[in-house]
Coordinates of all heavy atoms in Angstrom, one line a residue:
R7 N 112.0 101.2 52.1 CA 111.5 99.9 52.7 C 110.7 99.1 51.7 O 110.2 98.1 52.1 CB 110.7 100.2 53.9 CG 111.5 100.7 55.1 CD 110.8 100.4 56.4 NE 111.0 101.6 57.3 CZ 110.1 102.2 58.0 NH1 108.9 101.8 57.9 NH2 110.4 103.2 58.8
L21 N 111.2 78.3 31.2 CA 112.7 78.3 31.5 C 113.1 76.9 32.0 O 112.4 76.3 32.9 CB 113.0 79.4 32.5 CG 114.4 79.9 32.4 CD1 114.7 80.6 31.1 CD2 114.6 80.9 33.5
I28 N 120.9 78.0 25.2 CA 120.8 79.4 25.3 C 120.4 79.8 26.7 O 121.0 80.7 27.3 CB 119.8 80.0 24.3 CG1 120.2 79.7 22.9 CG2 119.8 81.6 24.4 CD1 119.2 80.1 21.8
H59 N 99.7 93.5 28.7 CA 98.8 94.2 29.6 C 99.1 93.9 31.0 O 99.2 94.9 31.9 CB 97.4 93.8 29.2 CG 96.4 94.1 30.3 ND1 96.0 93.1 31.1 CD2 95.8 95.2 30.7 CE1 95.1 93.6 32.0 NE2 95.0 94.9 31.8
Q60 N 99.3 92.7 31.4 CA 99.6 92.3 32.8 C 100.9 92.9 33.3 O 101.0 93.4 34.4 CB 99.6 90.8 32.9 CG 99.9 90.3 34.3 CD 98.7 90.7 35.3 OE1 97.7 90.0 35.4 NE2 98.9 91.8 36.0
E63 N 100.3 96.5 34.1 CA 99.6 96.6 35.3 C 100.5 96.5 36.5 O 100.4 97.2 37.5 CB 98.4 95.6 35.4 CG 97.3 95.8 34.4 CD 96.5 97.1 34.7 OE1 96.4 97.5 35.8 OE2 96.0 97.7 33.7
I65 N 103.7 97.1 36.6 CA 104.6 98.3 36.7 C 103.8 99.4 37.4 O 104.3 100.1 38.3 CB 105.1 98.7 35.3 CG1 106.1 97.6 34.8 CG2 105.9 100.0 35.4 CD1 106.4 97.8 33.3
A89 N 104.7 100.4 24.9 CA 103.7 100.6 26.1 C 104.5 100.2 27.4 O 104.3 100.9 28.4 CB 102.5 99.7 25.9
D92 N 106.9 103.0 28.1 CA 106.2 104.2 28.7 C 105.9 104.0 30.1 O 106.0 104.9 30.9 CB 104.9 104.5 27.9 CG 105.2 105.2 26.6 OD1 106.3 105.8 26.4 OD2 104.3 105.2 25.7
F97 N 108.1 105.2 36.5 CA 108.6 104.7 37.7 C 109.8 105.5 38.2 O 110.7 105.7 37.5 CB 109.0 103.2 37.6 CG 109.5 102.6 38.9 CD1 108.6 102.3 39.9 CD2 110.8 102.4 39.2 CE1 109.0 101.8 41.1 CE2 111.3 101.8 40.4 CZ 110.3 101.5 41.4
P100 N 115.1 103.1 40.8 CA 116.0 102.4 39.8 C 115.3 101.2 39.1 O 114.5 100.5 39.7 CB 117.1 101.9 40.7 CG 116.6 101.9 42.1 CD 115.4 102.9 42.2
N108 N 123.2 87.0 26.2 CA 123.8 88.3 25.8 C 123.1 88.6 24.4 O 123.5 88.1 23.4 CB 125.3 88.2 25.6 CG 125.9 89.5 25.1 OD1 125.2 90.4 24.8 ND2 127.2 89.5 25.0
H110 N 123.2 91.0 22.6 CA 124.0 91.7 21.5 C 124.9 90.7 20.7 O 125.4 91.1 19.7 CB 124.8 92.8 22.2 CG 124.0 93.8 22.9 ND1 123.2 94.7 22.2 CD2 123.7 94.0 24.2 CE1 122.5 95.4 23.0 NE2 122.8 95.0 24.2
R112 N 123.6 88.0 19.7 CA 122.7 87.1 18.9 C 122.3 87.8 17.6 O 122.9 88.8 17.2 CB 121.4 86.9 19.8 CG 121.9 86.1 21.1 CD 120.7 85.8 22.0 NE 119.8 84.9 21.4 CZ 118.6 84.6 21.9 NH1 118.2 85.1 23.1 NH2 117.8 83.8 21.3
A127 N 120.1 100.5 34.4 CA 121.3 99.6 34.1 C 120.7 98.4 33.3 O 119.5 98.1 33.4 CB 122.0 99.2 35.4
Y137 N 120.1 87.1 37.6 CA 119.0 87.5 38.4 C 119.5 87.9 39.8 O 119.2 88.9 40.4 CB 117.9 86.5 38.6 CG 117.0 86.4 37.4 CD1 117.3 85.7 36.2 CD2 115.7 87.1 37.4 CE1 116.4 85.7 35.2 CE2 114.9 87.1 36.4 CZ 115.2 86.3 35.2 OH 114.3 86.3 34.2

Side-chain angles (χ1 to χ4, degrees):
R7 289 203 219 133
L21 205 62
I28 301 176
H59 157 263
Q60 180 64 83
E63 293 292 329
I65 294 166
D92 281 342
F97 183 72
N108 180 355
H110 300 289
R112 300 180 65 187
Y137 280 85

